[in-house]
mmCIF file of all heavy atoms in Angstrom:
data_model
loop_
_atom_site.group_PDB
_atom_site.id
_atom_site.type_symbol
_atom_site.label_atom_id
_atom_site.label_comp_id
_atom_site.label_asym_id
_atom_site.label_seq_id
_atom_site.Cartn_x
_atom_site.Cartn_y
_atom_site.Cartn_z
ATOM 1 N N LEU A 64 -3.272 -20.144 -8.807
ATOM 2 C CA LEU A 64 -3.148 -19.152 -7.732
ATOM 3 C C LEU A 64 -2.023 -19.497 -6.772
ATOM 4 O O LEU A 64 -2.026 -19.078 -5.629
ATOM 5 C CB LEU A 64 -4.463 -19.073 -6.939
ATOM 6 C CG LEU A 64 -5.595 -18.357 -7.647
ATOM 7 C CD1 LEU A 64 -6.831 -18.393 -6.764
ATOM 8 C CD2 LEU A 64 -5.230 -16.920 -7.936
ATOM 9 N N ARG A 92 -7.432 -15.433 -16.077
ATOM 10 C CA ARG A 92 -8.287 -14.564 -15.274
ATOM 11 C C ARG A 92 -9.729 -14.661 -15.741
ATOM 12 O O ARG A 92 -10.669 -14.636 -14.952
ATOM 13 C CB ARG A 92 -7.773 -13.124 -15.377
ATOM 14 C CG ARG A 92 -8.590 -12.149 -14.559
ATOM 15 C CD ARG A 92 -8.258 -10.722 -14.882
ATOM 16 N NE ARG A 92 -8.847 -10.266 -16.116
ATOM 17 C CZ ARG A 92 -10.122 -10.035 -16.314
ATOM 18 N NH1 ARG A 92 -10.983 -10.210 -15.336
ATOM 19 N NH2 ARG A 92 -10.572 -9.623 -17.481
ATOM 20 N N ARG A 95 -11.221 -17.792 -14.211
ATOM 21 C CA ARG A 95 -11.426 -17.782 -12.759
ATOM 22 C C ARG A 95 -12.695 -17.041 -12.423
ATOM 23 O O ARG A 95 -12.916 -15.928 -12.842
ATOM 24 C CB ARG A 95 -10.284 -17.053 -12.065
ATOM 25 C CG ARG A 95 -8.990 -17.789 -12.059
ATOM 26 C CD ARG A 95 -8.030 -17.040 -11.167
ATOM 27 N NE ARG A 95 -6.668 -17.399 -11.493
ATOM 28 C CZ ARG A 95 -5.729 -16.538 -11.827
ATOM 29 N NH1 ARG A 95 -5.995 -15.245 -11.844
ATOM 30 N NH2 ARG A 95 -4.519 -16.948 -12.118
ATOM 31 N N MET A 108 -12.285 -14.339 6.400
ATOM 32 C CA MET A 108 -11.020 -13.832 5.910
ATOM 33 C C MET A 108 -11.024 -13.663 4.407
ATOM 34 O O MET A 108 -10.180 -12.984 3.855
ATOM 35 C CB MET A 108 -9.901 -14.793 6.300
ATOM 36 C CG MET A 108 -9.827 -14.964 7.796
ATOM 37 S SD MET A 108 -8.219 -15.380 8.382
ATOM 38 C CE MET A 108 -8.085 -17.029 7.759
ATOM 39 N N THR A 109 -11.971 -14.323 3.733
ATOM 40 C CA THR A 109 -11.916 -14.222 2.279
ATOM 41 C C THR A 109 -12.830 -13.140 1.732
ATOM 42 O O THR A 109 -12.679 -12.705 0.605
ATOM 43 C CB THR A 109 -12.280 -15.558 1.627
ATOM 44 O OG1 THR A 109 -13.562 -15.941 2.100
ATOM 45 C CG2 THR A 109 -11.280 -16.603 2.005
ATOM 46 N N ASN A 111 -13.746 -9.327 1.821
ATOM 47 C CA ASN A 111 -13.056 -8.112 2.223
ATOM 48 C C ASN A 111 -13.861 -7.387 3.297
ATOM 49 O O ASN A 111 -15.008 -7.005 3.061
ATOM 50 C CB ASN A 111 -12.887 -7.223 0.991
ATOM 51 C CG ASN A 111 -11.870 -6.115 1.240
ATOM 52 O OD1 ASN A 111 -11.724 -5.650 2.366
ATOM 53 N ND2 ASN A 111 -11.182 -5.707 0.208
ATOM 54 N N VAL A 113 -13.928 -4.443 4.560
ATOM 55 C CA VAL A 113 -14.357 -3.056 4.460
ATOM 56 C C VAL A 113 -15.259 -2.794 3.256
ATOM 57 O O VAL A 113 -15.602 -1.650 2.973
ATOM 58 C CB VAL A 113 -13.143 -2.086 4.404
ATOM 59 C CG1 VAL A 113 -12.281 -2.258 5.626
ATOM 60 C CG2 VAL A 113 -12.339 -2.278 3.143
ATOM 61 N N GLN A 119 -19.073 -6.758 -3.435
ATOM 62 C CA GLN A 119 -18.227 -7.915 -3.718
ATOM 63 C C GLN A 119 -18.920 -8.901 -4.643
ATOM 64 O O GLN A 119 -18.249 -9.669 -5.330
ATOM 65 C CB GLN A 119 -17.815 -8.581 -2.408
ATOM 66 C CG GLN A 119 -17.098 -7.606 -1.486
ATOM 67 C CD GLN A 119 -16.434 -8.276 -0.318
ATOM 68 O OE1 GLN A 119 -15.682 -9.221 -0.460
ATOM 69 N NE2 GLN A 119 -16.711 -7.768 0.879
ATOM 70 N N GLU A 122 -19.137 -7.057 -8.360
ATOM 71 C CA GLU A 122 -17.873 -7.027 -9.100
ATOM 72 C C GLU A 122 -17.554 -8.398 -9.685
ATOM 73 O O GLU A 122 -16.952 -8.497 -10.756
ATOM 74 C CB GLU A 122 -16.734 -6.543 -8.207
ATOM 75 C CG GLU A 122 -16.354 -7.497 -7.103
ATOM 76 C CD GLU A 122 -15.239 -6.956 -6.216
ATOM 77 O OE1 GLU A 122 -14.716 -5.867 -6.499
ATOM 78 O OE2 GLU A 122 -14.899 -7.639 -5.249
ATOM 79 N N HIS A 127 -17.037 -10.622 -15.513
ATOM 80 C CA HIS A 127 -17.135 -11.644 -16.560
ATOM 81 C C HIS A 127 -18.313 -11.450 -17.479
ATOM 82 O O HIS A 127 -18.322 -11.976 -18.582
ATOM 83 C CB HIS A 127 -17.223 -13.024 -15.917
ATOM 84 C CG HIS A 127 -16.030 -13.352 -15.080
ATOM 85 N ND1 HIS A 127 -14.817 -13.671 -15.629
ATOM 86 C CD2 HIS A 127 -15.861 -13.371 -13.741
ATOM 87 C CE1 HIS A 127 -13.952 -13.891 -14.656
ATOM 88 N NE2 HIS A 127 -14.559 -13.717 -13.503
ATOM 89 N N TYR C 208 -8.388 -12.304 1.476
ATOM 90 C CA TYR C 208 -9.401 -11.685 0.631
ATOM 91 C C TYR C 208 -8.816 -11.222 -0.696
ATOM 92 O O TYR C 208 -9.526 -11.120 -1.694
ATOM 93 C CB TYR C 208 -10.139 -10.546 1.329
ATOM 94 C CG TYR C 208 -9.296 -9.452 1.887
ATOM 95 C CD1 TYR C 208 -8.754 -8.461 1.083
ATOM 96 C CD2 TYR C 208 -9.054 -9.391 3.255
ATOM 97 C CE1 TYR C 208 -7.995 -7.463 1.599
ATOM 98 C CE2 TYR C 208 -8.286 -8.389 3.788
ATOM 99 C CZ TYR C 208 -7.759 -7.418 2.953
ATOM 100 O OH TYR C 208 -6.994 -6.435 3.490
ATOM 101 N N LYS C 210 -6.492 -12.984 -2.281
ATOM 102 C CA LYS C 210 -6.437 -14.214 -3.064
ATOM 103 C C LYS C 210 -7.835 -14.553 -3.591
ATOM 104 O O LYS C 210 -8.001 -14.988 -4.731
ATOM 105 C CB LYS C 210 -5.931 -15.353 -2.192
ATOM 106 C CG LYS C 210 -5.361 -16.495 -2.984
ATOM 107 C CD LYS C 210 -4.277 -17.229 -2.191
ATOM 108 C CE LYS C 210 -3.461 -18.093 -3.109
ATOM 109 N NZ LYS C 210 -2.215 -18.544 -2.525
ATOM 110 N N PHE C 211 -8.825 -14.354 -2.735
ATOM 111 C CA PHE C 211 -10.194 -14.652 -3.126
ATOM 112 C C PHE C 211 -10.636 -13.740 -4.247
ATOM 113 O O PHE C 211 -11.316 -14.158 -5.183
ATOM 114 C CB PHE C 211 -11.122 -14.498 -1.910
ATOM 115 C CG PHE C 211 -12.517 -14.943 -2.154
ATOM 116 C CD1 PHE C 211 -12.788 -16.259 -2.466
ATOM 117 C CD2 PHE C 211 -13.565 -14.045 -2.080
ATOM 118 C CE1 PHE C 211 -14.078 -16.687 -2.693
ATOM 119 C CE2 PHE C 211 -14.863 -14.465 -2.289
ATOM 120 C CZ PHE C 211 -15.118 -15.785 -2.602
ATOM 121 N N ALA C 214 -9.286 -15.086 -7.230
ATOM 122 C CA ALA C 214 -9.993 -16.324 -7.605
ATOM 123 C C ALA C 214 -11.326 -16.012 -8.271
ATOM 124 O O ALA C 214 -11.848 -16.820 -9.027
ATOM 125 C CB ALA C 214 -10.214 -17.185 -6.369
ATOM 126 N N LYS C 215 -11.872 -14.832 -7.984
ATOM 127 C CA LYS C 215 -13.118 -14.463 -8.636
ATOM 128 C C LYS C 215 -12.870 -13.975 -10.048
ATOM 129 O O LYS C 215 -13.808 -13.731 -10.792
ATOM 130 C CB LYS C 215 -13.824 -13.346 -7.839
ATOM 131 C CG LYS C 215 -14.419 -13.823 -6.542
ATOM 132 C CD LYS C 215 -15.434 -12.854 -5.959
ATOM 133 C CE LYS C 215 -14.836 -11.555 -5.534
ATOM 134 N NZ LYS C 215 -15.767 -10.794 -4.672
ATOM 135 N N GLY C 216 -11.599 -13.819 -10.378
ATOM 136 C CA GLY C 216 -11.282 -13.403 -11.729
ATOM 137 C C GLY C 216 -11.343 -11.899 -11.927
ATOM 138 O O GLY C 216 -11.512 -11.421 -13.034
ATOM 139 N N ARG C 221 -8.362 -3.746 -10.443
ATOM 140 C CA ARG C 221 -9.442 -3.622 -9.478
ATOM 141 C C ARG C 221 -9.041 -4.191 -8.121
ATOM 142 O O ARG C 221 -9.353 -3.627 -7.086
ATOM 143 C CB ARG C 221 -10.706 -4.352 -9.961
ATOM 144 C CG ARG C 221 -11.810 -4.067 -8.984
ATOM 145 C CD ARG C 221 -13.176 -4.505 -9.405
ATOM 146 N NE ARG C 221 -14.059 -4.372 -8.252
ATOM 147 C CZ ARG C 221 -14.905 -3.368 -8.075
ATOM 148 N NH1 ARG C 221 -15.013 -2.428 -8.979
ATOM 149 N NH2 ARG C 221 -15.649 -3.305 -6.989
ATOM 150 N N HIS C 226 -9.682 -3.342 -3.517
ATOM 151 C CA HIS C 226 -9.544 -4.202 -2.339
ATOM 152 C C HIS C 226 -8.366 -3.813 -1.464
ATOM 153 O O HIS C 226 -8.496 -3.679 -0.248
ATOM 154 C CB HIS C 226 -9.431 -5.662 -2.781
ATOM 155 C CG HIS C 226 -10.717 -6.239 -3.254
ATOM 156 N ND1 HIS C 226 -11.508 -7.039 -2.470
ATOM 157 C CD2 HIS C 226 -11.372 -6.091 -4.422
ATOM 158 C CE1 HIS C 226 -12.590 -7.379 -3.143
ATOM 159 N NE2 HIS C 226 -12.528 -6.808 -4.334
ATOM 160 N N LYS C 229 -8.484 0.260 -0.212
ATOM 161 C CA LYS C 229 -9.452 0.582 0.832
ATOM 162 C C LYS C 229 -8.983 0.060 2.186
ATOM 163 O O LYS C 229 -9.203 0.685 3.213
ATOM 164 C CB LYS C 229 -10.817 -0.026 0.470
ATOM 165 C CG LYS C 229 -11.934 0.390 1.401
ATOM 166 C CD LYS C 229 -13.029 1.170 0.692
ATOM 167 C CE LYS C 229 -13.910 1.870 1.728
ATOM 168 N NZ LYS C 229 -15.097 1.100 2.114
ATOM 169 N N ASN C 230 -8.304 -1.073 2.170
ATOM 170 C CA ASN C 230 -7.843 -1.616 3.443
ATOM 171 C C ASN C 230 -6.662 -0.877 4.016
ATOM 172 O O ASN C 230 -6.486 -0.829 5.224
ATOM 173 C CB ASN C 230 -7.469 -3.097 3.279
ATOM 174 C CG ASN C 230 -8.638 -3.983 3.596
ATOM 175 O OD1 ASN C 230 -8.925 -4.247 4.757
ATOM 176 N ND2 ASN C 230 -9.330 -4.406 2.573
#
Side-chain angles (χ1 to χ4, degrees):
Chain A
L64 286 178
R92 181 192 77 71
R95 288 188 201 124
M108 301 207 290
T109 56
N111 195 329
V113 302
Q119 303 192 51
E122 68 182 356
H127 300 286
Chain C
Y208 55 78
K210 201 151 196 165
F211 187 63
K215 288 196 294 195
R221 186 170 170 101
H226 286 260
K229 187 118 195 266
N230 268 279

